[in-house]
Amino acid sequence: MEIGLIGLGKMGGNMAERLRLGGHKVVGFDFSKDATAKLTASGGLGVDSLEDLVKNLSQPRAIWIMVPEGKPVDETIAKLKPLMAKGDIFIDGGNSNYKDSIKRHDELKPQGFEFVDVGTSGGIWGITEGYSMMVGGDEDIVSSLTPIFETLAPAKDQGWGRTGPSGAGHFVKMVHNGIEYGMMESYAEGFAIMMAKTTLQLDVAQISEIWRYGSVVRSWLLDLTAEALQHNRTLEGIAPFVPDSGEGRWTVFEAIDLNISAPVITESLIRRLRSREDNNLTDRMLSVMRGAFGGHAIKKD
């Protein structure tokens, strides 16, 4: 099957390679000349413009978009529409807000275009491990793309599926990332407690390896953590700054709208926000208040 791919960064480039190795014709576009040259050198076809991308695909075309959420997705679709024909399929494989995906589907459908939203998980490891894909869209269109999903997934019948109509793929991926926030925070807190217990001289790298087998807390996330600790057991040189992709925020907003209590995901998001405060006013205010009501000493910078 033919597939156009826009965005050949680390994840997009790896997806292109997995598709190519799976026997698909891959035509890719990226603003980076090195990225398109790499695709061509590996056996795909890297092009320098969206016009060339569309010209090198047979109808009905399927174009997978891997760009940042929001305006970049809308701009990419707007540039592609005049070049494409009725029946062509737009696939958004990035971390878009599910509400935007529903809107895009509903706008494109009357114009004769198809739209599928794919929440994609796997990161840089997907090229070897396969990608987990949560797919939203019209059932017949999703079914027509089955060969693509089967190639990208860990196995033909594992790690992917249509989760519902338009927007469902990105909604499920949003919740997936919210859960990921909570899992990461829990691991981080547990390892921090062990590292702080210096009297026991705990080797957290060794402990992470023990937990990887037979333990109820074993996971792929733990596998990656264990590997990272083998290379840096004391976390030397790592700044306490944790960004967020936005999906944790959206998960918390949805929980509030649905009257669902989600304290772990919410607190894990708050902790990420707090990690970015250069001048932590919250903790400074707490210190001031303790000094005011209890006469406790205030530590100076």
Side-chain angles (χ1 to χ4, degrees):
M1 185 173 181
E2 297 182 354
I3 184 76
L5 185 59
I6 299 174
L8 299 172
K10 286 184 178 179
M11 190 167 180
N14 284 348
M15 291 176 71
E17 182 65 5
R18 189 173 176 92
L19 286 166
R20 189 190 66 78
L21 292 172
H24 300 280
K25 175 184 176 182
V26 181
V27 183
F29 168 76
D30 195 281
F31 288 110
S32 167
K33 302 293 185 182
D34 289 341
T36 54
K38 182 178 179 181
L39 175 59
T40 300
S42 67
L45 175 60
V47 296
D48 297 326
S49 68
L50 295 180
E51 289 83 358
D52 286 341
L53 179 82
V54 173
K55 287 178 183 177
N56 281 282
L57 293 170
S58 303
Q59 292 180 240
R61 306 175 185 90
I63 297 183
W64 189 302
I65 301 170
M66 290 293 285
V67 301
E69 61 90 15
K71 190 176 180 181
V73 178
D74 289 325
E75 290 179 341
T76 301
I77 291 175
K79 290 176 182 177
L80 282 170
K81 280 198 299 183
L83 308 172
M84 296 173 69
K86 290 185 178 181
D88 287 350
I89 307 168
F90 293 93
I91 308 166
D92 181 3
N95 285 330
S96 291
N97 189 298
Y98 80 97
K99 295 178 181 178
D100 291 338
S101 296
I102 294 173
K103 181 181 178 182
R104 288 167 186 142
H105 171 275
D106 292 348
E107 288 178 349
L108 289 166
K109 191 75 175 179
Q111 299 172 20
F113 300 110
E114 306 295 344
F115 180 87
V116 173
D117 53 287
V118 183
T120 311
S121 180
I124 60 174
W125 297 92
I127 188 171
T128 55
E129 301 292 328
Y131 297 91
S132 173
M133 291 166 292
M134 299 135 266
V135 186
D138 298 345
E139 195 166 359
D140 59 331
I141 304 304
V142 173
S143 180
S144 72
L145 296 169
T146 293
I148 297 296
F149 299 133
E150 289 181 340
T151 300
L152 289 172
K156 285 188 175 183
D157 58 349
Q158 293 179 347
W160 80 276
R162 177 180 179 269
T163 57
S166 172
H170 281 150
F171 183 87
V172 175
K173 177 56 161 53
M174 175 193 74
V175 177
H176 165 284
N177 280 27
I179 293 171
E180 178 185 293
Y181 277 39
M183 291 175 65
M184 292 175 68
E185 179 66 22
S186 183
Y187 277 128
E189 291 177 8
F191 280 106
I193 292 169
M194 290 188 290
M195 293 174 78
K197 192 64 175 179
T198 55
T199 56
L200 294 182
Q201 299 179 326
L202 301 174
D203 183 343
V204 292
Q206 179 215 16
I207 293 166
S208 66
E209 285 293 332
I210 293 173
W211 286 357
R212 288 182 61 203
Y213 305 97
S215 167
V216 295
V217 300
R218 65 187 184 273
S219 69
W220 185 43
L221 182 57
L222 179 61
D223 293 342
L224 297 176
T225 303
E227 183 177 352
L229 286 172
Q230 291 294 335
H231 294 96
N232 190 349
R233 293 172 182 250
T234 61
L235 310 184
E236 182 180 356
I238 298 177
F241 180 97
V242 188
D244 71 279
S245 64
E247 293 193 301
R249 300 182 188 216
W250 300 340
T251 305
V252 172
F253 297 157
E254 287 294 327
I256 293 170
D257 287 345
L258 296 168
N259 291 318
I260 298 295
S261 175
V264 173
I265 295 175
T266 303
E267 179 58 24
S268 66
L269 171 63
I270 299 303
R271 291 301 302 173
R272 290 194 180 201
L273 297 179
R274 195 159 178 170
S275 77
R276 298 170 223 166
E277 296 181 15
D278 292 331
N279 181 15
N280 193 314
L281 296 177
T282 306
D283 288 348
R284 289 172 184 266
M285 284 304 304
L286 286 172
S287 182
V288 167
M289 285 185 276
R290 289 185 77 249
F293 71 72
H296 302 288
I298 298 177
K299 184 178 180 180
K300 303 293 184 180
D301 282 339

